[in-house]
């Protein structure tokens, strides 16, 4: 073998260079395939995590609603207890109150006035996209008239649950909601969308 290399040094160098270039090309392709696969796996994991999170939120909301309903029913039933069973009724009220507090802590929603009526499409407000609209709905923020009545404390309360702090004041949600709640879409468009 060494005699062949010494007799044909140019052929050996050319073969060595071709071998090295081929190895380099294969290694580069494998690296890009690994990177592509990792990106796809990351996107798939993120999508799966988002789906699981949405399902968990929905389940937690449904469980919370059922628990709150049960607590309200238990509180009403306990209040209706009369006569010699007052002590039992008081125990049921204490238990119901404790359960209601626990469920409230689990749901972690801002302490603001509840929306009354069908939800509005909050994406009409400049600064609220589809994801922020979904987040607002999950927090109980669903209507223009609800937002239009917020004071500084309400804004601060909701702001702590948003992923982008200061968004409500920066985009003037309350001012926009006042116009939209009044049905003045033209004024809203003139002031905020132009």
């Amino acid at each position: 073998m060494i005699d062949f290399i010494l007799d044909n040094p140019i052929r050996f160098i050319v073969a060595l260079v071709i071998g090295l270039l081929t190895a380099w090309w294969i290694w580069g392709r494998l690296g890009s395939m690994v990177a592509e696969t990792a990106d796809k796996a990351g996107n798939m994991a993120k999508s799966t995590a988002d789906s699981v999170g949405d399902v968990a939120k929905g389940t937690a909301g449904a469980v919370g609603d059922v628990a709150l309903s049960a607590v309200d029913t238990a509180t009403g039933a306990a209040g209706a207890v009369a006569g010699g069973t007052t002590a039992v009724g008081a125990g049921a009220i204490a238990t119901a109150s404790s359960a209601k507090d626990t469920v409230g802590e689990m749901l972690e929603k801002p302490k603001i006035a509840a929306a009354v009526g069908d939800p509005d499409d909050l994406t009409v407000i400049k600064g609220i996209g589809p994801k922020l609209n979904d987040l607002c709905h999950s927090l109980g923020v669903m209507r223009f008239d609800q937002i239009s009545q917020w004071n500084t404390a309400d804004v601060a309360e909701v702001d702590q649950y948003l992923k982008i702090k200061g968004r409500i004041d920066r985009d003037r949600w309350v001012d926009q909601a006042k116009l939209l709640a009044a049905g003045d879409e033209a004024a809203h468009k003139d002031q905020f969308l132009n």
Side-chain angles (χ1 to χ4, degrees), residues 81-103:
V81 173
T85 58
T86 303
V88 174
I93 289 172
T95 303
S97 177
S98 173
K100 192 171 187 176
D101 290 344
T102 303
V103 169

Side-chain angles (χ1 to χ4, degrees), residues 1-9 11-12 15-16:
M1 176 89 171
I2 293 181
D3 291 333
F4 176 77
I5 294 171
L6 293 176
D7 290 339
N8 302 300
R11 287 184 184 173
F12 175 74
L16 181 64

Side-chain angles (χ1 to χ4, degrees), residues 34-172:
V34 168
E36 287 174 20
T37 304
D39 284 346
K40 287 179 184 176
N43 290 338
M44 184 186 267
K46 183 181 182 300
S47 174
T48 303
D50 288 346
S51 297
V52 168
D54 291 343
V55 168
K57 264 189 214 172
T59 303
V63 168
D65 291 343
V66 169
L68 286 175
S69 175
V71 166
D72 290 341
T73 302
T75 303
V81 173
T85 58
T86 303
V88 174
I93 289 172
T95 303
S97 177
S98 173
K100 192 171 187 176
D101 290 344
T102 303
V103 169
E105 289 172 10
M106 287 174 31
L107 297 179
E108 294 190 39
K109 291 187 178 182
K111 295 163 186 72
I112 55 171
V116 178
D118 292 333
D120 290 320
D121 179 12
L122 299 181
T123 60
V124 175
I125 294 177
K126 182 180 178 188
I128 298 181
K131 287 188 178 186
L132 194 51
N133 181 58
D134 292 344
L135 176 61
C136 286
H137 282 204
S138 73
L139 296 174
V141 178
M142 299 186 185
R143 295 187 47 86
F144 299 135
D145 59 347
Q146 178 188 22
I147 297 170
S148 71
Q149 297 173 9
W150 285 353
N151 58 30
T152 306
D154 293 328
V155 169
E157 177 69 22
V158 174
D159 192 46
Q160 67 184 337
Y161 292 89
L162 300 179
K163 295 177 183 172
I164 305 171
K165 303 288 186 212
R167 185 72 176 257
I168 298 169
D169 287 330
R170 204 170 36 252
D171 290 333
R172 298 177 51 201

